[in-house]
Amino acid sequence: MASGRPFPLNAWYPAAWGHEIERALAARTICGHDIVLYRRADGAVAALEDACWHRLLPLSMGRLVGDQVVCGYHGLVFNSAGRCTHMPAQKTINPSACVRSYPVVERHRLIWVWPGDPALADPAAMPDFHWNDGETWKGEGGTFYSLKCDYRLVVDNLMDLTHETYVHAGSIGDDAILDTPFEVTHTDRAATMTRWMIDIDPPPFWARQLGRPGHVDRWQIVTFEAPAVVVGDVGVALTGSGAPEGDRSQGVNGAFLAALAPETETSCHYFWNFVRTFRTDDEQLTRDLQRAHVNDGKGVYDQDHVVLEAQQRAIDRNPRSPFYNLNIDAGALWARRLIDAMLAREQRSAGAPQAAE
Ligand code: FES
Ligand SMILES: [Fe+2]
């Protein structure tokens, strides 16, 4: 790792679903930065440092009046750019009275913030997460807020789906995953793990979605985009119908979506969705698929959740124990390399803020 901090700051991170941010104050910690979010009257989202300039009370404990935040302690008022516009019992406002305002963009149904140098915040650098737009691909997901693990453990988990056989036996797990080789490719921003399982019995989850008997070709094409987005193109199609060659018409195609935001070095927010291109008007199926992932401890992601937090607890107890790498870790290793490259670039670039360290 190129720095003591495991996450770059000069990046867009998801802070909330768009529907969660209304005309009210919402607190989030992103990369160690305490941020208060709210929606302005014009519909744009503001993101301010969640600490009053005066005595550091979290502004999220105050109230929103118009587009301004009134501190809940002594009533200082800050506008959506973070500038103080009112001080109690004095006419002149100290010109240095302001809180930091963070670049924020609403895209792909999520609110993204940039905790690093605002001058470098380029909306064009936003990770591609269009599967979440709700147009071609349909689904409803959720969030694990404050999942108690380093966000990179989630990346590891999603980039190596051999864990399905053990963690998700009975739903998407399948011994074929273990027997089938995969390949990993990468660019300077992304790493992709591709596995095709040809002529297999579909695992129970996919057999139900396909609704037809017979052997299938199953694919898992999982792409990580640095620093914290993973998209898994997954599905099955009847064997011999040409899916590996590009014709998926005799199959069912889904995508698992993960946009992660480090909260601290050992906790993260995990925005997830599972979207699909089959039976897109079937609201009941949307709800069923959502429950298949998170359902009071019984969903697929609930199972991952237990493993990830237990893994972090073990790491905390044994901080010097190394990780050993197997062939199955190739995708995760590339992901971590790309994160490390971002960290190294950030360290080299003059004036990169280090506030969260
Ligand atoms: S702490 Fe906010 S006004 Fe005093
Ligand atoms: Fe999993």
Side-chain angles (χ1 to χ4, degrees):
M1 190 162 56
S3 125
R5 158 166 61 74
F7 40 76
L9 294 178
N10 289 324
W12 293 104
Y13 291 104
W17 289 89
H19 64 80
E20 293 176 314
I21 303 302
E22 301 177 326
R23 300 280 294 148
L25 303 174
R28 294 282 189 280
T29 299
I30 306 291
C31 297
H33 290 240
D34 296 329
I35 298 175
V36 57
L37 298 156
Y38 62 94
R39 199 173 285 280
R40 301 189 319 212
D42 67 1
V45 173
L48 301 179
E49 181 181 354
D50 194 13
C52 180
W53 174 84
H54 177 223
R55 289 289 188 268
L56 300 183
L57 186 78
L59 289 175
S60 54
M61 294 175 68
R63 65 201 161 91
L64 185 63
V65 175
D67 282 346
Q68 307 202 98
V69 181
V70 181
C71 179
Y73 205 170
H74 313 98
L76 259 68
V77 178
F78 299 89
N79 67 18
S80 64
R83 176 148 297 286
C84 181
T85 60
H86 172 79
M87 286 179 172
Q90 62 183 72
K91 288 208 176 58
T92 47
I93 293 175
N94 185 322
S96 70
C98 57
V99 295
R100 184 170 171 182
S101 102
Y102 291 87
V104 52
V105 169
E106 185 165 8
R107 193 175 292 173
H108 310 312
R109 299 168 74 193
L110 293 169
I111 311 289
W112 305 73
V113 298
W114 179 280
D117 181 353
L120 302 177
D122 177 2
M126 172 94 37
D128 183 9
F129 210 56
H130 74 271
W131 298 268
N132 202 44
D133 285 344
E135 289 160 15
T136 310
W137 299 78
K138 298 286 187 193
E140 287 301 330
T143 315
F144 289 115
Y145 280 115
S146 299
L147 184 65
K148 292 182 179 52
C149 71
D150 181 333
Y151 77 107
R152 296 172 304 173
L153 296 184
V154 184
V155 174
D156 292 347
N157 171 279
L158 296 172
M159 291 301 286
D160 163 31
L161 298 181
T162 55
H163 82 265
E164 289 182 350
T165 309
Y166 302 98
V167 180
H168 311 307
S171 56
I172 50 177
D174 188 339
D175 284 347
I177 296 173
L178 307 179
D179 300 335
T180 311
F182 59 90
E183 68 169 35
V184 176
T185 56
H186 67 94
T187 65
D188 61 350
R189 184 79 197 263
T192 300
M193 187 283 304
T194 302
R195 178 190 276 117
W196 277 92
M197 291 157 268
I198 303 298
D199 199 9
I200 63 166
D201 274 322
F205 171 83
W206 283 115
R208 272 200 307 282
Q209 308 312 321
L210 188 61
R212 285 192 267 179
H215 274 198
V216 297
D217 298 339
R218 180 183 184 190
W219 65 91
Q220 296 173 324
I221 303 169
V222 187
T223 298
F224 164 82
E225 186 173 347
V229 160
V230 182
V231 174
D233 167 7
V234 289
V236 299
L238 289 177
T239 295
S241 64
E245 293 76 37
D247 178 0
R248 296 178 177 180
S249 60
Q250 302 306 305
V252 280
N253 195 177
F256 63 80
L257 312 179
L260 304 165
E263 180 184 42
T264 67
E265 295 188 4
T266 54
S267 65
C268 65
H269 308 307
Y270 178 177
F271 297 84
W272 65 268
N273 202 346
F274 182 86
V275 293
R276 66 189 192 278
T277 53
F278 57 95
R279 290 163 56 196
T280 51
D281 294 333
D282 187 338
E283 299 286 334
Q284 183 61 43
L285 180 60
T286 298
R287 284 192 294 277
D288 289 349
L289 290 174
Q290 193 177 27
R291 268 200 302 275
H293 287 84
V294 175
N295 181 18
D296 238 356
K298 298 188 289 288
V300 171
Y301 285 171
D302 295 318
Q303 295 169 330
D304 285 313
H305 189 152
V306 170
V307 168
L308 292 165
E309 293 196 341
Q311 193 186 8
Q312 184 66 55
R313 286 195 298 275
I315 292 168
D316 292 345
R317 282 198 303 280
N318 306 283
R320 272 180 286 283
S321 297
F323 278 12
Y324 294 102
N325 296 314
L326 306 175
N327 291 341
I328 57 171
D329 299 309
L333 284 175
W334 266 111
R336 285 181 176 244
R337 261 180 223 142
L338 294 173
I339 292 169
D340 287 349
M342 280 186 86
L343 285 163
R345 277 198 299 277
E346 198 166 285
Q347 273 196 332
R348 280 197 304 271
S349 71
Q354 304 292 319
E357 290 186 315

